[in-house]
Amino acid sequence: MLARLAVALLWCLHWLPLWLLAPLGQAAGLAFYAIGRARRRVVMINLRLCFPELDERARGQLARAHFRAAGRAALEHVILFWGSRGRILKLVRIEGLEHWQAVRNEPVIWLCPHFIGLDMGGSRIIAEFGGASMYSKQKSEVFDRLILHGRTRFGNSTLLSRQDGVRGIARALKQRIPFYYLPDMDFGSRDAVFVPFFGVPAATITGLSRLAQLGKAKVVPAITRQLPGAQGYVLQFYPAWENFPTADLAADARRLNAFIEDRVRELPGQYYWLHRRFKTRPPGEAVSPYDA
C-alpha cells in the first residue's frame, strides 16, 4: 500500500516544471545527506581515497554537492517514467552524435560509467534511436513494474536479463542493436582484475573487453552530465576507441579506469560516490576500507 501511495505521489510530481522539480530534488538529496549516515560515510571514504589532496572541509563540500545532484537526478526520474517523448528529448541534449554515427552500422557498445545522469542519457538515446540494456528484477513488485514501464514505454528498448549472461548481449550486438553498458562497479573478484582507480587498486570487471571481442563491437563512450538549474542534461558521445580490445585484459581495464578518472575530474560531484567501489580487496588486503 505504501509503495502504491509513493508511486501516486511521484506521478503527481511529473507535472511540475523542471525549474521547480530540480530544487525539490536537491533538497531531498541534502535531507538524505543529513539522515543517511551510512551512505554519507561511504561517500566520504570514497572521496578520501580518490582525492587525498583535498582537506576534510573540501571533501564535505564535494559530498554535499554529490547528494544534491543525486537527489535531483533521482526525483527527475518522474519525467522518464511519465513525461512525454518530446519532453525527454528536450530534457537531454546530445553532443558528439557524429562519433556514434560514424560506426553505427557496426556492433556498438555504449560505454556509460556511473555518473548520476546515466538513466537520463539512456532514456534519451533509446527513445530516439533504440538500444539494449541490462535489467535486474526489483524487490518491490510495484517499483519493478514502474521501472519496466519507464524503460519500455516507447517500444524500442531491448531489455536483457542478467540470467541470460553474455548470450543476450551477443545476440543484440549481432543484430546491430547498441548495448548501453555500465562496467564500473565492484562486483567482486570474479572475472575482474585489480587495477588502479585514482591510485587505489580496484576490482574492475573485464566484461568490456570480452564483450567487445565476442561481438566484434566498437566501444563508444557516452557520459551524461547534469546542467545547472532547469537546463537539463547533456549526453556527450566520445570517439570510438581505437585498438580496443587488446590481448591484455589488465591493460584494457587500466584504460577504462583512466578514462573514467578523467571524466570524474571534470564532474567530481556527479560520479556515483554512493557505491562501495573499493569493497573487494586484492590478495594481501583483508580489510575493506568501509569496514575499518
Side-chain angles (χ1 to χ4, degrees), residues 87-99:
R87 189 179 184 189
I88 292 174
L89 298 186
K90 185 178 179 181
L91 175 69
V92 185
R93 186 174 77 250
I94 295 178
E95 294 181 355
L97 185 61
E98 67 276 8
H99 297 310

Side-chain angles (χ1 to χ4, degrees), residues 227-260:
L227 300 176
Q231 298 179 50
Y233 297 78
V234 171
L235 169 62
Q236 174 72 55
F237 283 108
Y238 293 79
W241 282 0
E242 299 291 341
N243 304 314
F244 189 92
T246 70
D248 189 336
L249 292 177
D252 289 350
R254 285 193 294 271
R255 181 176 181 179
L256 167 66
N257 283 356
F259 174 82
I260 298 173

Side-chain angles (χ1 to χ4, degrees), residues 82-118:
W82 297 290
S84 68
R85 182 176 181 273
R87 189 179 184 189
I88 292 174
L89 298 186
K90 185 178 179 181
L91 175 69
V92 185
R93 186 174 77 250
I94 295 178
E95 294 181 355
L97 185 61
E98 67 276 8
H99 297 310
W100 168 50
Q101 292 183 327
V103 295
R104 67 178 301 177
N105 292 326
E106 304 179 54
V108 169
I109 297 172
W110 289 326
L111 167 61
C112 307
H114 277 80
F115 288 84
I116 52 93
L118 68 89

Side-chain angles (χ1 to χ4, degrees), residues 112-142:
C112 307
H114 277 80
F115 288 84
I116 52 93
L118 68 89
D119 284 343
M120 306 297 172
S123 294
R124 170 62 174 85
I125 192 68
I126 289 176
E128 184 170 2
F129 299 105
S133 62
M134 195 68 72
Y135 178 75
S136 296
K137 186 175 178 62
Q138 305 298 303
K139 293 180 180 180
S140 166
E141 183 178 345
V142 173

Side-chain angles (χ1 to χ4, degrees), residues 8 37 101 139 152 162 211:
R37 180 180 178 183
Q101 292 183 327
K139 293 180 180 180
T152 60
R162 292 192 182 277
L211 289 174

Side-chain angles (χ1 to χ4, degrees), residues 7 13-15 35 40 67 73 122 132 135 162 179 181 185 246 255 261 273:
V7 170
L13 292 176
H14 97 274
W15 296 107
I35 65 176
R40 185 174 70 243
F67 275 86
Y135 178 75
R162 292 192 182 277
F179 177 52
Y181 189 43
M185 300 191 88
T246 70
R255 181 176 181 179
E261 280 186 37
W273 299 115

